[in-house]
Amino acid sequence: MDFWFSYVALASIYVLLGLSTNLLVGIAGIFSVSQAAVFGVGAYIVAYFLMNDITSFLPALAVAAVCCIALNIVVTLPALRVSGDYFVVTSFGIQLLATAVFTNWTDGTGGANGLPGIPSADLAGKALESTGAMVALSLCGMAVGCLIFWLVMRAPFGRLLRAIREDELAVAAAGKSVLRAKVSASALAGAFAGTAGGLYATFLSFIDPSSFDLDASILLLTMVVVGGARTLAGSIVGPFLLLALPQILTMVDIPTTIAAAARQLLYGVLLIVFMLFRPQGLAGEKL
Amino acid sequence: MLALQLLVNGIVTGCALGLVAISFSFVYATIRIFHVAHAGVYTTGGYIAWWLVAKGVPFPAALVVAIAACAGFGALIQAWLYAELERRKATHLVVLIASLGALAVIQNIIAALFSANILRFDLPWASRVFHLGEQLRLTAAQLITVAVSLAAYGGTMWFSRGTILGKQIRAVASNPFLGEITRLRPRRVHVYVMAIASALVCLPGVLVPLDLGLQPYSGVTPLLTATIAMIAGGVGSLTGAFVLAIAIAELQNLSLLVMPGEWSIGITFFIFVIFMLFRPTGLFAAAR
């Protein structure tokens, strides 16, 4: 039962991350391999606030979300002014830099050993210590995220983003600011990733740099690609499917020393196969 | 004296990085693919050479075999992956994701076969130390790296300007459509370009590990630094990419005087941001 609880809670946290990646990659058309870094920043901020008893859970989550919004704006603005390809470099750079900070800034992040003993989340002064309450909180987070995503995509802003994916030049010619729309999408993606980070830190009560490295970013990208770009359904299907996959892998008899490599290998194969034969993913639209 | 030693070390790593940068630039300027999997080819070359040396093959032979294998591997990536994606009219983003997928596949196959631990070449001569002047010391591997890199840079410049294939490649790069109607066969030229670039990136891929050892996931940082050098030098300028690679490596090495080495990625990235803000076209960009 505990296994199912933690699967559902983690999957709903990853749905938030999937929405975040989908906003960037699927909808705004920006290639990103740094979503795990933003996710990590959110997680570490919430962990710091709760462990030092600075605020309760919700204000900490809000601070994390705001910081991640600011981070994403700072990151995307200069790169997107120049050319889309330059953002690839920015994105890799942010990811490697974040891993360096998480691993080496021992005072703030606990270094490679991570931060153990993060207090559980609390709502209105009551600590949510049972797993069931945490699952409910994660599901609520996911529901709110999905609702926001759905509303945004229905709004004129969502139509603008779709139009940009179809034809950037036409949108610019119609007098809309492509850059502003892309940066706004990226800011929203930052808010989702920061919130997901906070939920993740409090749910596991332990974080370390390996959850927020390049491999984690590739996993997020695989989730969006497999689930399907640009749709709400795709962002939900992908995480639930890909988090179940390692469980299936454990049934196949592979030595534990290469298990991690085998899992990442599978993600790589999925990326290539889907890009070649079904770029729209299982439940998405044209990428 | 430490500063001088760091300066010399910077030239060594800079030359190796320069080769990564010009090979990446070659692909990027011609095929217009942001070839992330290049980092995987770089790592593959090192592992092939290591495996052959461990089997008792002499180092020069191992290097030649590794270069040939990388060239073939690059050609396969182009023919089976990128050309196939182009045929399906994949967008730029789709190609990028597929390239990242290929990188993940290559790195993790290597990690599964050779484990993720650091492997060192069992070649005593490579770590023999030469003394230059008072306190400067260089290993044989470092001297070879500089000599081979400069030779390969010169060779690439000559190839690009002086041979028919080099001219065809530049023609296709400047206008693929015109290349098609004048029967230059851009698709075949693209396969050649990828083979040449992969052979070229195999050199630092083998020579750098002579000194520092091999790790499956170590290709991403050099590739990132090299792409920054390419952008800062001006896309399409091989000399710009090579010179800026040396400059960035120098800055990284000299930064060791004031801060620990874990943060050198920060220095690299800082350079990139500065260039993006003040001179996004790069230093040596050709007039357009």
Side-chain angles (χ1 to χ4, degrees), chain A residues 40 49 103 130 163 177 216 230-231 234 279:
Chain A
F49 272 64
T103 322
S130 73
S177 166
R230 300 161 81 187
T231 58

PDB file of all heavy atoms in Angstrom, chain A residues 40 49 103 130 163 177 216 230-231 234 279:
ATOM      1  N   GLY A  40      15.306  21.632  -8.540  1.00  0.00           N
ATOM      2  CA  GLY A  40      16.219  21.514  -7.406  1.00  0.00           C
ATOM      3  C   GLY A  40      16.273  22.796  -6.598  1.00  0.00           C
ATOM      4  O   GLY A  40      16.254  22.760  -5.355  1.00  0.00           O
ATOM      5  N   PHE A  49      14.011  26.791   4.292  1.00  0.00           N
ATOM      6  CA  PHE A  49      13.041  27.540   5.081  1.00  0.00           C
ATOM      7  C   PHE A  49      12.434  26.689   6.181  1.00  0.00           C
ATOM      8  O   PHE A  49      12.238  27.149   7.303  1.00  0.00           O
ATOM      9  CB  PHE A  49      11.919  28.106   4.180  1.00  0.00           C
ATOM     10  CG  PHE A  49      12.247  29.454   3.608  1.00  0.00           C
ATOM     11  CD1 PHE A  49      13.318  29.604   2.738  1.00  0.00           C
ATOM     12  CD2 PHE A  49      11.490  30.571   3.929  1.00  0.00           C
ATOM     13  CE1 PHE A  49      13.626  30.841   2.213  1.00  0.00           C
ATOM     14  CE2 PHE A  49      11.807  31.820   3.404  1.00  0.00           C
ATOM     15  CZ  PHE A  49      12.878  31.950   2.548  1.00  0.00           C
ATOM     16  N   THR A 103      26.338  20.364  -5.371  1.00  0.00           N
ATOM     17  CA  THR A 103      27.328  19.409  -4.866  1.00  0.00           C
ATOM     18  C   THR A 103      28.395  20.084  -4.012  1.00  0.00           C
ATOM     19  O   THR A 103      28.893  19.491  -3.058  1.00  0.00           O
ATOM     20  CB  THR A 103      28.014  18.696  -6.045  1.00  0.00           C
ATOM     21  OG1 THR A 103      27.050  18.454  -7.049  1.00  0.00           O
ATOM     22  CG2 THR A 103      28.610  17.378  -5.622  1.00  0.00           C
ATOM     23  N   SER A 130       1.232  11.885   8.061  1.00  0.00           N
ATOM     24  CA  SER A 130       0.930  10.583   7.461  1.00  0.00           C
ATOM     25  C   SER A 130       1.173  10.630   5.955  1.00  0.00           C
ATOM     26  O   SER A 130       1.118  11.690   5.327  1.00  0.00           O
ATOM     27  CB  SER A 130      -0.527  10.214   7.725  1.00  0.00           C
ATOM     28  OG  SER A 130      -1.359  11.023   6.922  1.00  0.00           O
ATOM     29  N   ALA A 163       0.089  29.910 -31.607  1.00  0.00           N
ATOM     30  CA  ALA A 163       0.375  30.569 -32.883  1.00  0.00           C
ATOM     31  C   ALA A 163       1.880  30.689 -33.085  1.00  0.00           C
ATOM     32  O   ALA A 163       2.383  30.508 -34.196  1.00  0.00           O
ATOM     33  CB  ALA A 163      -0.286  31.942 -32.916  1.00  0.00           C
ATOM     34  N   SER A 177       4.405  40.504 -29.374  1.00  0.00           N
ATOM     35  CA  SER A 177       5.798  40.314 -28.988  1.00  0.00           C
ATOM     36  C   SER A 177       6.052  38.825 -28.697  1.00  0.00           C
ATOM     37  O   SER A 177       5.547  38.283 -27.719  1.00  0.00           O
ATOM     38  CB  SER A 177       6.125  41.146 -27.753  1.00  0.00           C
ATOM     39  OG  SER A 177       7.343  40.708 -27.222  1.00  0.00           O
ATOM     40  N   ALA A 216      18.203  13.686 -14.621  1.00  0.00           N
ATOM     41  CA  ALA A 216      16.834  13.985 -14.208  1.00  0.00           C
ATOM     42  C   ALA A 216      16.149  14.871 -15.245  1.00  0.00           C
ATOM     43  O   ALA A 216      14.968  14.683 -15.558  1.00  0.00           O
ATOM     44  CB  ALA A 216      16.834  14.662 -12.850  1.00  0.00           C
ATOM     45  N   ARG A 230       2.387  19.505 -25.725  1.00  0.00           N
ATOM     46  CA  ARG A 230       1.369  20.545 -25.887  1.00  0.00           C
ATOM     47  C   ARG A 230      -0.016  20.187 -25.381  1.00  0.00           C
ATOM     48  O   ARG A 230      -0.948  20.959 -25.547  1.00  0.00           O
ATOM     49  CB  ARG A 230       1.258  20.976 -27.346  1.00  0.00           C
ATOM     50  CG  ARG A 230       2.547  21.538 -27.887  1.00  0.00           C
ATOM     51  CD  ARG A 230       2.571  21.534 -29.364  1.00  0.00           C
ATOM     52  NE  ARG A 230       1.856  22.672 -29.909  1.00  0.00           N
ATOM     53  CZ  ARG A 230       1.614  22.832 -31.194  1.00  0.00           C
ATOM     54  NH1 ARG A 230       2.022  21.929 -32.039  1.00  0.00           N
ATOM     55  NH2 ARG A 230       0.976  23.874 -31.617  1.00  0.00           N
ATOM     56  N   THR A 231      -0.212  19.020 -24.778  1.00  0.00           N
ATOM     57  CA  THR A 231      -1.551  18.756 -24.255  1.00  0.00           C
ATOM     58  C   THR A 231      -1.475  18.451 -22.766  1.00  0.00           C
ATOM     59  O   THR A 231      -0.452  18.002 -22.262  1.00  0.00           O
ATOM     60  CB  THR A 231      -2.218  17.560 -24.944  1.00  0.00           C
ATOM     61  OG1 THR A 231      -1.385  16.419 -24.765  1.00  0.00           O
ATOM     62  CG2 THR A 231      -2.432  17.818 -26.416  1.00  0.00           C
ATOM     63  N   GLY A 234      -1.158  14.659 -22.274  1.00  0.00           N
ATOM     64  CA  GLY A 234       0.203  14.181 -22.471  1.00  0.00           C
ATOM     65  C   GLY A 234       1.060  14.375 -21.239  1.00  0.00           C
ATOM     66  O   GLY A 234       1.823  13.489 -20.850  1.00  0.00           O
ATOM     67  N   PRO A 279       6.620  11.778 -33.216  1.00  0.00           N
ATOM     68  CA  PRO A 279       7.052  12.983 -32.494  1.00  0.00           C
ATOM     69  C   PRO A 279       5.938  13.603 -31.659  1.00  0.00           C
ATOM     70  O   PRO A 279       6.222  14.385 -30.752  1.00  0.00           O
ATOM     71  CB  PRO A 279       7.513  13.935 -33.602  1.00  0.00           C
ATOM     72  CG  PRO A 279       7.245  13.274 -34.881  1.00  0.00           C
ATOM     73  CD  PRO A 279       6.823  11.877 -34.654  1.00  0.00           C
TER      74      PRO A 279
END
